[in-house]
């Protein structure tokens, strides 16, 4: 199928990176795919905010380290506004701490910039379909530093839905509003999720879910 096929679902992507050559290189790669359309590019977080107010993409590709507003800060801003736009963080560093910060901010994925076209396109598709992506080499670093326990009990469909929203950085109140449940009900679901994943920490729960392929 091609972009000229009216039945072909095109994923609109926006790209934010302060290094022009890197930004253009990634954009050039993505345009080779019939599944992706670059709708705009920005060189920093401030410019990205303006463009986002005019046109929302299906997936936002975001450099982590940028002047003015970093990628992680931009994720925090968007999530604080209730914006659930899927965000894929890109970096030249396989730094587990940066991944943790991105995850805690509410990003939906984390990849190195030297990624292959196939892997990048698959990551964009995964995020567009509501999934999450983690760089394997970074997950290995985290697994060495943390005791990532296996899932003890299967999550219910509702718990899986809430876990995805938790991974997006949303609070219990925001989750409740988005899926039309009482905040207390969401709180109970979150407690059950943490218990089933054998952890008391929301970020650790998301890491376990990524490691187990739950989200």
């Amino acid at each position: 199928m091609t972009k000229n096929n009216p039945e072909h679902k095109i994923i609109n992507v926006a790209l934010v990176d302060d290094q022009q050559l890197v930004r253009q290189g990634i954009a050039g790669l993505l345009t080779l795919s019939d599944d992706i359309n670059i709708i705009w590019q920005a060189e920093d977080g401030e410019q990205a905010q303006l463009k986002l107010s005019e046109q929302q993409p299906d997936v936002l590709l975001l450099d982590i380290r940028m002047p003015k507003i970093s990628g992680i800060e931009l994720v925090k801003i968007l999530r604080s506004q209730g914006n659930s736009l899927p965000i894929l963080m890109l970096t030249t560093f396989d730094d587990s701490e940066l991944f943790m910060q991105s995850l805690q901010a509410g990003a939906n994925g984390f990849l190195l910039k030297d990624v292959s076209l196939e892997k990048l396109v698959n990551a964009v598709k995964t995020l567009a379909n509501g999934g999450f992506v983690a760089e394997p080499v970074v997950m290995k670093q985290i697994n060495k530093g943390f005791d990532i326990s296996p899932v003890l009990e299967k999550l219910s469909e509702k718990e899986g839905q809430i876990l995805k929203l938790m991974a997006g950085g949303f609070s219990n109140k925001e989750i409740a509003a988005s899926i039309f449940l009482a905040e207390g009900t969401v709180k109970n679901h979150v407690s059950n999720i943490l218990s089933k994943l054998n952890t008391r920490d929301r970020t650790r729960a998301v890491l376990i879910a990524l490691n187990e392929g739950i989200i």
Side-chain angles (χ1 to χ4, degrees), residues 9-176:
K9 171 67 170 137
I10 301 297
I11 302 171
N12 289 320
V13 169
L15 177 60
V16 187
D17 195 303
D18 62 310
Q19 298 184 39
Q20 184 177 0
L21 287 177
V22 173
R23 188 174 69 246
Q24 291 178 344
I26 294 173
L29 271 179
L30 288 173
T31 55
L32 295 174
S33 170
D34 289 337
D35 301 306
I36 293 173
N37 177 43
I38 304 292
I39 58 172
W40 54 259
Q41 298 179 41
E43 62 183 22
D44 58 50
E46 284 188 357
Q47 191 177 89
Q49 281 185 291
L50 291 174
K51 289 182 177 290
L52 282 167
S53 66
E54 298 169 354
Q55 188 177 22
Q56 289 270 327
D58 297 315
V59 177
L60 178 64
L61 269 57
L62 190 57
D63 183 27
I64 287 184
R65 295 182 175 178
M66 295 185 294
K68 298 180 180 178
I69 298 176
S70 72
I72 292 173
E73 285 302 314
L74 181 57
V75 176
K76 290 179 180 178
I77 291 170
L78 293 174
R79 297 306 187 232
S80 70
Q81 296 171 345
N83 190 328
S84 59
L85 169 67
I87 300 174
L88 178 63
M89 309 298 283
L90 298 173
T91 180
T92 53
F93 308 96
D94 56 345
D95 188 327
S96 59
E97 180 58 33
L98 284 177
F99 172 72
M100 290 290 287
Q101 291 177 21
S102 300
L103 192 63
Q104 289 167 343
N108 307 87
F110 182 97
L111 287 181
L112 299 179
K113 289 182 181 178
D114 62 357
V115 65
S116 67
L117 172 61
E118 180 181 10
K119 188 173 180 179
L120 182 57
V121 170
N122 286 337
V124 170
K125 289 180 179 179
T126 297
L127 264 67
N129 290 323
F132 291 78
V133 174
E135 185 65 56
V137 66
V138 179
M139 285 302 295
K140 286 181 181 178
Q141 290 180 18
I142 292 172
N143 288 345
K144 289 179 180 178
F146 291 97
D147 177 21
I148 303 297
S149 303
V151 176
L152 300 182
E153 298 179 55
K154 186 177 180 180
L155 300 182
S156 68
E157 183 177 346
K158 180 63 68 177
E159 288 167 347
Q161 182 184 15
I162 290 173
L163 181 56
K164 283 188 175 183
L165 291 167
M166 288 167 58
F170 293 98
S171 66
N172 290 351
K173 184 176 182 180
E174 291 167 333
I175 293 172

